[in-house]
Amino acid sequence: MKGIILAGGSGTRLRPVTIGVSKQLLPVYDKPMIYYPLSVLMMSGIREILIITSPADKDVFGKILGDGSSLGLSITYAEQTVPRGLADAFLVGAEHVGTDSVALVLGDNIFHGPDLGPLLRHHVRDLDGCTLFGHPVRDPERYGVGETDSRGRLVSLTEKPEQPSSNKAVTGLYLYDNDVVEVARQLRPSPRGELEITDVNRTYMEEGRAKLVELGNEFSWFDTGTCDSLLEASKYVQEIESRQGTRIACIEEIAYSMGFVSAEELHELGARLSSSPYGNYVKGLVEPRPLLEVAG
């Protein structure tokens, strides 16, 4: 499976913060926002990743992540000069996808929860058409909302409904078989001139090939497209990391745990950042810890 991170757009809901910088480069507590969607793809076992961004931000993303080789990945970049809807990612990334299946994750979405990696890898292996991920929300009228049958198959999908039929918001993580490229090519643009991801999902749903996996309350999901949600996500990450002594979306640690890099390579990655607590954490993952002396 190939991966695509959609990190374009103008971030209008975050202005004036985003006037001079892509929102996916803003910090979510101790790391750039782009680390979070990248970590989701890595935990899914995906190593070939395309980042779609605006021409103005392409070089900055390249400076942060390079070609991905230091993480055992292959990262390439494509430009989206004008936002044309989420489904446009499959047209921009058609060559990248090739004959493979693909995972699309939005660059401002954050996912966290127990055994998230094994869950994602399970659904990557068992993909049959389209797999979406839903999360319960208190304001479903702001999102796309899906209903499922007893087998988890999607039976209805409504974008920003006035009277939501459920509280399952469709998150910004989507898995598709290779048919998605042709599905996107056949879409009619919306009145705004955009190719809507909801229309892609409805196509699969009407064919009986769309599944909605509910991420329960043990999982956390943030769409960090507003100032309030960005601050909320930062506070969440700070609290979890401070309490547990771990790092959420530490891409170096994930690369090591997935076998993408060796212990020596992990230590080198940490050494490059060792003047920061984040870098020292990465180094400490493979450095021997001194034994405590026990008096007695």
Side-chain angles (χ1 to χ4, degrees):
M1 178 175 280
K2 302 289 181 58
I4 297 178
I5 301 175
L6 190 54
S10 52
T12 54
R13 292 182 296 166
L14 285 164
R15 288 187 176 180
V17 177
T18 52
I19 289 177
V21 63
S22 166
K23 67 178 175 180
Q24 288 84 11
L25 297 171
L26 296 175
V28 179
Y29 184 50
D30 59 349
K31 60 191 75 70
M33 187 187 295
I34 192 68
Y35 275 36
Y36 295 87
L38 177 59
S39 72
V40 168
L41 296 182
M42 293 173 68
M43 287 189 290
S44 302
I46 297 170
R47 303 179 71 170
E48 296 179 65
I49 297 166
L50 174 70
I51 297 177
I52 299 177
T53 186
S54 68
D57 298 312
K58 180 180 174 183
D59 289 344
V60 185
F61 282 103
K63 184 175 181 180
I64 293 173
L65 298 172
D67 63 2
S69 58
S70 63
L71 296 167
L73 307 174
S74 172
I75 297 178
T76 53
Y77 303 87
E79 298 178 0
Q80 188 184 51
T81 54
V82 178
R84 293 184 293 269
L86 304 186
D88 186 53
F90 304 115
L91 304 186
V92 175
E95 184 176 347
H96 168 72
V97 175
T99 59
D100 293 317
S101 54
V102 60
L104 172 67
V105 61
L106 304 188
D108 59 2
N109 273 220
I110 295 174
F111 297 84
H112 180 250
D115 296 322
L116 178 60
L119 174 71
L120 295 175
R121 293 192 292 276
H122 167 75
H123 289 291
V124 166
R125 287 192 302 268
D126 288 359
L127 179 65
D128 178 19
C130 161
T131 297
L132 310 178
F133 295 86
H135 191 273
V137 294
R138 61 178 176 269
D139 49 356
E141 65 277 1
R142 294 181 51 231
Y143 302 93
V145 173
E147 280 188 289
T148 61
D149 62 17
S150 59
R151 299 179 301 160
R153 291 288 174 180
L154 196 65
V155 295
S156 74
L157 184 60
T158 309
E159 191 66 27
K160 297 181 180 178
E162 292 183 6
Q163 295 181 324
S165 57
S166 80
N167 68 337
K168 297 177 185 176
V170 177
T171 69
L173 174 62
Y174 317 85
L175 308 180
Y176 299 101
D177 64 15
N178 190 255
D179 292 344
V180 72
V181 176
E182 187 57 32
V183 170
R185 287 196 180 109
Q186 298 299 322
L187 290 182
R188 291 184 178 181
S190 70
R192 297 185 300 172
E194 297 184 350
L195 301 179
E196 302 288 355
I197 198 73
T198 299
D199 292 336
V200 172
N201 298 334
R202 282 204 187 101
T203 299
Y204 278 94
M205 180 184 70
E206 290 166 1
E207 295 174 353
R209 299 196 298 135
K211 179 170 66 174
L212 181 65
V213 177
E214 183 171 357
L215 300 175
N217 290 323
E218 69 271 25
F219 292 93
S220 296
W221 168 60
F222 298 91
D223 172 359
T224 57
T226 67
C227 292
D228 286 343
S229 59
L230 180 61
L231 179 60
E232 183 183 4
S234 293
K235 288 180 176 178
Y236 174 85
V237 173
Q238 180 191 37
E239 180 180 355
I240 295 296
E241 292 188 351
S242 298
R243 185 195 313 156
Q244 298 182 358
T246 59
R247 289 287 190 277
I248 296 174
C250 178
I251 55 178
E252 296 85 0
E253 181 176 14
I254 294 170
Y256 178 60
S257 66
M258 293 293 295
F260 299 166
V261 300
S262 66
E264 293 76 15
E265 290 168 327
L266 178 64
H267 188 274
E268 183 179 343
L269 289 169
R272 297 176 191 173
L273 303 167
S274 60
S275 58
S276 70
Y278 181 94
N280 288 327
Y281 171 81
V282 174
K283 281 179 60 181
L285 293 169
V286 289
E287 285 184 342
R289 302 179 185 274
L291 296 175
L292 296 176
E293 293 185 3
V294 180

